[in-house]
Amino acid sequence: MSTRLRNALSAVLIALACLLAPFGALAAWVAYGLADTSRYVTTMAPLASDPHVRDAIADTVGAGIIREVDVGGAMRPFVRDAVRSFTRTEAFRTAWDAGNRAVHDSVLRALRGGGEGAVTVDLAPVAAEVKDELTADRVPLAHRIPVLHIEVSVLPAEDLARLRKGFHVLDVAGFWLPVTAAVLAATGIAVAACRRRAVTATALGTALGGALLALAVAVGRRLTLADLPDPAHHPAAGAIYDALTATLRTVSWLLVAVGLTVALTCWLTGRYGCPPPFRRGPRASAAPAADPARRRTRARA
């Protein structure tokens, strides 16, 4: 195989590998990060202490109790204060973990083909705790508050079919995209006429892919918050988005750091020798060759 053909083939393979790298990281994050219930619950657990998240939950639960129970105007401040007080207890953190686990299991079942209705979370356990706290504080008529099922939509039914298809694609791609990217990169480096340059190009392409992935995460955060109907819940939604994408951001910046480090190392060391792109014949001597016609022969005596 000629040098030109080897370099062209190497360039195509390396370009494909660098293009697939950020998509492979995204798919692996969905398949092995978001789709794992234990990891999801562990990731969401610290948010039980986030003030923005607590305020958003207190507003949602308090508004649900007031709307469903139709309490009097004098009791509304007590209801809201009781909900906010409950979000600062250990019982709330326990309920938060249990609720996240139940919601995640329901979402996974829906995305993997179980059911066609919307995925919702029931806030009745939280309402029951609020009722008990109001009763303990001897708020008038608190013991008469019925504990109703307050359903909060997590995954709308109209979006379920589209999200299910996307999840299936990412679930499969989470394994095959990173493997394919690694194989293409290794093959591109192996067939290159200059392996040091091929490694440098692969490293720079990987760093660029990581930077684009980090940019995509930042743009996704902005778009996610822009779609929320209630601006008051933007801080809570931002905290949840940041917690869920923390691993993806770490991977993206790791790709940038590793890629730039490898590229810089290859540039400094020049470990592998690179043949010139076009081999030429041996260079002629700078001194002119003697003209055979002018050579004198020894005369015979």
Side-chain angles (χ1 to χ4, degrees), residues 210 213-214 217 245-257:
L213 181 59
V217 173
T245 58
T247 301
L248 190 59
R249 292 198 309 273
T250 301
V251 171
S252 63
W253 290 117
L254 185 62
L255 291 176
V256 173

Side-chain angles (χ1 to χ4, degrees), residues 263-288:
L264 181 61
T265 302
C266 290
W267 181 71
L268 291 175
T269 59
R271 181 176 180 180
Y272 300 102
C274 294
F278 302 100
R279 290 192 174 275
R280 301 175 181 176
R283 297 178 59 183
S285 175

Side-chain angles (χ1 to χ4, degrees), residues 35-88:
D36 187 279
T37 300
S38 298
R39 291 181 182 177
Y40 175 82
V41 173
T42 302
T43 300
M44 297 292 288
L47 293 178
S49 302
D50 188 278
H52 300 298
V53 175
R54 290 203 307 253
D55 289 343
I57 293 176
D59 292 340
T60 302
V61 176
I65 293 175
I66 293 172
R67 182 178 61 254
E68 298 292 340
V69 180
D70 193 21
V71 298
M75 289 189 61
R76 293 186 180 184
F78 292 102
V79 173
R80 295 186 183 276
D81 290 342
V83 175
R84 284 187 170 87
S85 178
F86 172 66
T87 59
R88 295 176 174 85

Side-chain angles (χ1 to χ4, degrees), residues 7-46:
N7 287 336
L9 180 60
S10 174
V12 171
L13 294 176
I14 290 175
L16 289 176
C18 295
L19 180 63
L20 292 179
F23 292 101
L26 177 62
W29 169 69
V30 173
Y32 302 107
L34 290 184
D36 187 279
T37 300
S38 298
R39 291 181 182 177
Y40 175 82
V41 173
T42 302
T43 300
M44 297 292 288

Side-chain angles (χ1 to χ4, degrees), residues 205-257:
T206 301
L208 178 60
L212 293 177
L213 181 59
L215 178 62
V217 173
V219 173
R221 186 183 193 277
R222 181 178 295 271
L223 294 178
T224 300
L225 297 184
D227 291 338
L228 293 179
D230 190 357
H233 292 168
H234 282 189
I240 294 174
Y241 184 92
D242 292 339
L244 291 177
T245 58
T247 301
L248 190 59
R249 292 198 309 273
T250 301
V251 171
S252 63
W253 290 117
L254 185 62
L255 291 176
V256 173

